[in-house]
Amino acid sequence: GKPARIFKGDLLLPMPLPKTFYEYVYVDGKWKTWEDTLEKFTIADDAVFADIVVSNKYTAQFSYFCDLLLKRGKKALFCGPTGTGKSTYVLNAITKEFDQNAYRPIILGFSAKTSANMTQDIIHGKLDKRRKGYFGPPKGQKAIVFVDDLNMPEVETYGAQPPIELLRQMIDNGGYFDLVDPSRPWLTVLDTTLVAAMGPPGGGRNGVTPRLLRHFNLMCFDEFDDSTLVRIFNTIGEWYFSTKGFSQEVQGMCKGLVNATLEGYRASMASLL
């Protein structure tokens, strides 16, 4: 028979059953799939190709969690393989979706040769002096430091990654030491939070110390599924064919072209990798 129920009674708004819990979000008093939260997306005729971000369920998830966490001063870390658009989506959220009068983005990308001094100079250069020894964004604003490729800095002799240790110090102790003026050895950073993106360790990327990771809400993203890829490239293809003056007959071939390309890509992945 059926297993005994631990809790008696029924939920007023039970989660829909056809899909997994991760496919739904509770907004506006009801359960919705991530796709249902998307507004109709159109690309402007004069849009620059490199700046196009086609909305899909992954962009909806990124936007939701960036809004939920960063606006409340919580730290977020997005991890996933190359090509899943982590950096693009985070940048789109903090530079376009967030009110730029209330939030000041500070963007930096790590590489193997990034040093702690370089990291501190970039962050400190974007902050204003509040009073002696205290720095932060302009009054009434909050700063969001976005670190791309968080785990790229090389590991030094004693097993540490200096740029990452600087970020950890900024989170744990609320600031860093002044590198220029010995009369004010400690600088306190106010109204600033962090968001970061990185790929899994390997291929030049290193593991990150748990002393830093413990501060972040970690979200992992996998490669796009077929329905998302079709949505992205159909949207871009239809925009391109319509703005470049192609005939309706050619424009109508876009969907078949995308499906054929995707089928070839999947076949190549299966047989060559």
Side-chain angles (χ1 to χ4, degrees):
K2 293 183 179 180
R5 294 177 62 179
I6 299 175
F7 301 105
K8 295 182 179 180
D10 296 302
L11 296 172
L12 291 175
L13 289 169
M15 195 189 81
L17 295 177
K19 297 185 178 181
T20 68
F21 177 81
Y22 302 102
E23 301 292 324
Y24 291 91
V25 59
Y26 188 77
V27 290
D28 302 328
K30 62 179 72 172
W31 289 99
K32 293 183 179 181
T33 62
W34 290 105
E35 291 89 338
D36 291 339
T37 66
L38 297 173
E39 298 178 357
K40 182 174 175 55
F41 180 78
T42 55
I43 303 175
D45 290 348
D46 59 349
V48 178
F49 177 77
D51 295 336
I52 297 173
V53 178
V54 179
S55 61
N56 55 73
K57 67 180 182 182
Y58 295 102
T59 62
Q61 292 168 345
F62 266 96
S63 298
Y64 177 84
F65 284 111
C66 282
D67 186 87
L68 181 70
L69 296 169
L70 300 181
K71 288 185 177 180
R72 292 163 176 79
K74 308 299 181 183
K75 296 153 195 69
L77 173 59
F78 297 95
C79 181
T82 302
T84 49
K86 304 179 297 297
S87 305
T88 303
Y89 292 154
V90 174
L91 283 171
N92 187 65
I94 65 176
T95 61
K96 296 180 180 178
E97 296 177 5
F98 283 20
D99 181 2
Q100 297 301 289
N101 293 320
Y103 298 93
R104 170 180 281 194
I106 300 174
I107 317 298
L108 60 153
F110 280 176
S111 70
K113 297 302 179 184
T114 301
S115 68
N117 286 12
M118 291 164 55
T119 304
Q120 182 169 329
D121 288 343
I122 293 172
I123 296 174
H124 194 69
K126 299 291 180 68
L127 300 176
D128 297 347
K129 184 177 181 180
R130 295 278 185 90
R131 59 185 187 274
K132 185 176 181 180
Y134 289 81
F135 289 79
K139 204 75 172 175
Q141 288 190 340
K142 292 185 182 297
I144 299 176
V145 179
F146 171 49
V147 183
D148 198 13
D149 291 322
L150 178 69
N151 55 350
M152 284 296 287
E154 62 184 1
V155 179
E156 46 106 274
T157 307
Y158 302 101
Q161 294 164 282
I164 286 176
E165 294 300 331
L166 176 78
L167 296 179
R168 184 196 58 75
Q169 182 185 58
M170 197 169 81
I171 297 170
D172 277 337
N173 304 106
Y176 36 68
F177 290 96
D178 194 329
L179 302 176
V180 179
D181 187 354
S183 67
R184 49 174 198 188
W186 180 258
L187 304 178
T188 300
V189 178
L190 305 171
D191 298 329
T192 301
T193 191
L194 269 78
V195 57
M198 70 179 194
R205 297 183 178 87
N206 304 293
V208 177
T209 172
R211 293 189 297 173
L212 177 71
L213 292 181
R214 68 191 176 94
H215 292 289
F216 285 92
N217 294 278
L218 175 62
M219 279 151 285
C220 298
F221 286 82
D222 202 356
E223 294 180 352
F224 293 154
D225 55 31
D226 287 357
S227 62
T228 301
L229 290 174
V230 167
R231 175 186 172 89
I232 292 172
F233 289 106
N234 266 345
T235 304
I236 294 175
E238 289 168 0
W239 164 78
Y240 180 84
F241 287 137
S242 63
T243 56
K244 299 301 181 183
F246 286 88
S247 66
Q248 288 294 326
E249 184 181 5
V250 174
Q251 292 181 38
M253 298 172 64
C254 179
K255 190 170 183 179
L257 183 63
V258 170
N259 287 333
T261 305
L262 182 59
E263 188 176 328
Y265 171 70
R266 293 299 185 202
S268 299
M269 291 279 287
S271 60
L272 300 178
L273 294 180

